[in-house]
Amino acid sequence: MTFPDFFILLQQIFIRMKRKITDALIEWKDSKNRKPLIVNGARQIGKTYIINEFGNANFSNLVYINLETNPAIREIFEGNIEPSFLIRSLESHTDQRIIAGKTLLFLDEIQACERALTSLKYFCEQAPQYHVVSAGSLLGVAVNREKYSFPVGKVDEMNMYPFDFEEYLLALGRENLVKTIQEHYMKFEPLPDAIHKLALELFNHYCIIGGMPEVIADFLQNNSFLTIRNPQAKILNEYISDMAKYADPATSVKIKACYESIPAQLAKENRKFQYKIVQKGGTATIFGVAIDWLQQAGIILKCQKIEHGFIPIKAYQYFPDFKLYMSDVGMLAMLSGFPPQMILKSIETNNTFMGSIAENYVAQEFTAKKIPLHYWKSEETAEIDFVFQDNVDVIPVEVKKGLRTRSSSMALFTKKYNSPYAIRISQKNFGFENNIKSVPLYAVFCIEKA
């Protein structure tokens, strides 16, 4: 397949579906209190494409500028950054009019030009009539904050993530299946067995493929779990390249070591992150900055331990203990070298890493739903995989890859903190019994919090 053909296929994936962020972009466009917008997210999740599509669909014209590949425009921003001057200069350089209310000015890879980032403050203060959107993959780590200040309070921000499972199903043209899952979730009525098995099969596929657009496109084109390793490896190499580009050599080695340790961290029965797994004698002092870098780059998810299930749960965080997940479950499957055929098996196995993959998947789904990641562990051995605050209630969530779902930890937590119900995520069909909501793995995208 040639590159143009592959790009067309990639376009078709986006055309077949509506990314959830599209509604938020339209709301931003129409807001009376709109500020310049920054869309954050890891590399290769589709930021550039989705913003271009949004611009073409909702404005008379789109002016797209890639600040990483266009040094001439970077030079413009190195001088006068008053909006009136920038608008005239960018019009001359792109040979396109930039008209307030009719043009979307899109500054892509804005982390490559700190002065462009600073200019957003002045667009907010002096020229709020213009629609300015920017995207950056590594804003948290690439900007020299000693020299340039982030325009705090002068910009709107949105976070974008890999395709969640719902978006993946839409990309596959499975709109009816999405609606059916949502309907049965609302009533907690079991799906017909054939549909339940189909949804579990598609979920297993997603655990191998993940939510990166290029990887999904490769699978749709080749229908192979082998060929997707190529785009996944390409994305991994880009991550490693960024580690070297946006950190000093000593720190980049630590960042890479922490990232590559995640499969080993999750393979343990106790999935709490341990620095000694990264390096013998490792400590938070040595590797804390590396973990912060990975989190700010958007390529890992941090799940913080809470010591009590009281309201508000953030007040009971225990910062020394946490779990790390990858922001894309397909990247975890690839980096770990876990055989796809083991994920595809529908039978019970004793492989603990199956549970790790399921947990990572749930962390990814919760993050996409803006549900903060917390877990609970007692002073003894009881542990709850995830805990979230739903208004005035604290809800425990357990994740099981298979059908065996018995757990004393759930009952202990529910009783101790008076949770009105608990959620158990597994291969089992929908159900609600003994104040436990049974949510199939494929329906996690339906879980909401108040």
Side-chain angles (χ1 to χ4, degrees), residues 34 39 67 105 113 134 155 187 198 232 253 282 302 307 362:
R34 180 192 68 251
V39 178
L67 290 164
L105 175 59
C113 182
S134 61
V155 293
K187 301 175 182 178
L198 170 63
Q232 285 176 332
V253 171
K302 191 175 187 180
E307 295 186 290
V362 173

Side-chain angles (χ1 to χ4, degrees), residues 256-269:
K256 184 172 180 286
C258 284
Y259 184 71
E260 293 182 342
S261 81
I262 293 178
Q265 303 281 355
L266 296 178
K268 302 188 279 61
E269 185 175 351

Side-chain angles (χ1 to χ4, degrees), residues 20-244:
K20 293 175 183 177
I21 198 172
T22 303
D23 288 337
L25 289 169
I26 292 172
E27 185 178 343
W28 168 80
K29 170 186 175 290
D30 296 333
S31 172
K32 293 180 180 179
N33 300 315
R34 180 192 68 251
K35 301 173 184 175
L37 175 66
I38 297 175
V39 178
N40 296 300
R43 287 198 183 276
Q44 300 298 326
I45 59 172
K47 298 186 299 296
T48 299
Y49 185 86
I50 211 71
I51 296 171
N52 275 324
E53 285 299 295
F54 160 73
N56 288 324
N58 292 278
F59 293 86
S60 299
N61 70 308
L62 165 74
V63 174
Y64 172 78
I65 295 169
N66 187 316
L67 290 164
E68 191 170 54
T69 61
N70 202 320
I73 289 188
R74 288 203 302 271
E75 286 186 13
I76 293 174
F77 281 96
E78 290 303 322
N80 186 347
I81 54 173
E82 289 188 353
S84 58
F85 173 81
L86 287 175
I87 292 297
R88 291 195 303 271
S89 299
L90 295 176
E91 282 184 337
S92 298
H93 194 280
T94 63
D95 198 28
Q96 295 183 74
R97 288 296 313 280
I98 301 175
I99 303 172
K102 295 185 178 182
T103 301
L104 179 66
L105 175 59
F106 178 16
L107 304 175
D108 201 5
E109 301 293 357
I110 197 169
Q111 78 279 352
C113 182
E114 288 95 339
R115 288 278 288 174
L117 185 64
T118 302
S119 75
L120 299 182
K121 171 185 176 181
Y122 299 103
F123 272 102
C124 175
E125 295 175 345
Q126 301 176 19
Q129 68 272 25
Y130 288 97
H131 288 79
V132 183
V133 62
S134 61
S137 301
L138 295 146
L139 278 175
V141 299
V143 177
N144 183 346
R145 292 177 185 266
E146 294 181 1
K147 186 177 179 181
Y148 300 97
S149 61
F150 192 87
V152 177
K154 304 297 181 179
V155 293
D156 295 322
E157 292 191 73
M158 292 182 193
N159 292 319
M160 189 171 170
Y161 305 100
F163 284 30
D164 66 14
F165 186 59
E166 179 186 7
E167 292 176 322
Y168 171 77
L169 290 177
L170 293 173
L172 267 56
R174 297 280 186 171
E175 293 89 350
N176 290 335
L177 179 58
V178 169
K179 291 178 183 177
T180 300
I181 292 171
Q182 290 170 331
E183 289 168 359
H184 283 255
Y185 175 85
M186 295 298 295
K187 301 175 182 178
F188 272 88
E189 294 180 351
L191 280 172
D193 191 53
I195 299 177
H196 175 67
K197 289 181 178 178
L198 170 63
L200 281 176
E201 180 183 0
L202 292 171
F203 159 76
N204 287 334
H205 291 181
Y206 179 79
C207 285
I208 301 168
I209 299 164
M212 306 303 267
E214 188 175 346
V215 182
I216 296 172
D218 186 278
F219 182 76
L220 291 179
Q221 198 274 324
N222 296 305
N223 195 31
S224 169
F225 294 117
L226 296 179
T227 62
I228 64 170
R229 295 307 191 214
N230 295 324
Q232 285 176 332
K234 173 177 169 286
I235 293 168
L236 176 61
N237 288 336
E238 290 182 359
Y239 287 170
I240 292 172
S241 176
D242 284 337
M243 295 170 194

Side-chain angles (χ1 to χ4, degrees), residues 209-395:
I209 299 164
M212 306 303 267
E214 188 175 346
V215 182
I216 296 172
D218 186 278
F219 182 76
L220 291 179
Q221 198 274 324
N222 296 305
N223 195 31
S224 169
F225 294 117
L226 296 179
T227 62
I228 64 170
R229 295 307 191 214
N230 295 324
Q232 285 176 332
K234 173 177 169 286
I235 293 168
L236 176 61
N237 288 336
E238 290 182 359
Y239 287 170
I240 292 172
S241 176
D242 284 337
M243 295 170 194
K245 182 177 179 181
Y246 294 108
D248 62 77
T251 304
S252 67
V253 171
K254 296 172 186 175
I255 295 168
K256 184 172 180 286
C258 284
Y259 184 71
E260 293 182 342
S261 81
I262 293 178
Q265 303 281 355
L266 296 178
K268 302 188 279 61
E269 185 175 351
N270 175 11
R271 294 184 179 123
K272 182 188 79 170
F273 187 88
Q274 296 179 5
Y275 297 101
K276 66 181 181 181
I277 300 294
V278 184
Q279 176 184 293
K280 185 178 180 180
T283 64
T285 302
I286 298 172
F287 290 106
V289 172
I291 291 173
D292 289 343
W293 191 100
L294 289 165
Q295 191 174 12
Q296 291 171 8
I299 58 179
I300 64 165
L301 307 174
K302 191 175 187 180
C303 182
Q304 197 71 55
K305 178 185 172 181
I306 58 170
E307 295 186 290
H308 299 286
F310 299 128
I311 298 291
I313 62 175
K314 281 188 175 181
Y316 300 96
Q317 293 179 116
Y318 182 68
F319 290 102
D321 289 359
F322 55 88
K323 296 185 286 187
L324 293 186
Y325 302 100
M326 292 192 175
S327 61
D328 179 70
V329 68
M331 294 298 291
L332 173 63
M334 185 276 294
L335 188 60
S336 68
F338 199 64
Q341 59 269 31
M342 292 195 70
I343 298 176
L344 297 173
K345 285 181 180 178
S346 59
I347 61 173
E348 291 281 312
T349 73
N350 292 322
N351 191 300
T352 58
F353 204 72
M354 300 280 284
S356 304
I357 287 177
E359 240 185 77
N360 199 113
Y361 157 78
V362 173
Q364 183 178 341
E365 292 291 308
F366 277 8
T367 299
K369 301 289 283 189
K370 296 181 173 60
I371 298 176
L373 300 181
H374 295 98
Y375 77 101
W376 173 82
K377 186 171 174 53
S378 71
E379 294 180 357
E380 292 77 35
T381 58
E383 182 172 342
I384 300 295
D385 298 322
F386 297 99
V387 177
F388 68 87
Q389 183 176 323
D390 188 13
N391 202 353
V392 296
D393 298 313
V394 178
I395 309 302

Side-chain angles (χ1 to χ4, degrees), residues 420-434:
Y421 66 92
I423 296 174
R424 180 172 289 139
I425 300 168
S426 71
Q427 288 190 30
K428 286 188 174 181
N429 213 322
F430 289 107
F432 196 2
E433 188 177 12
N434 298 323

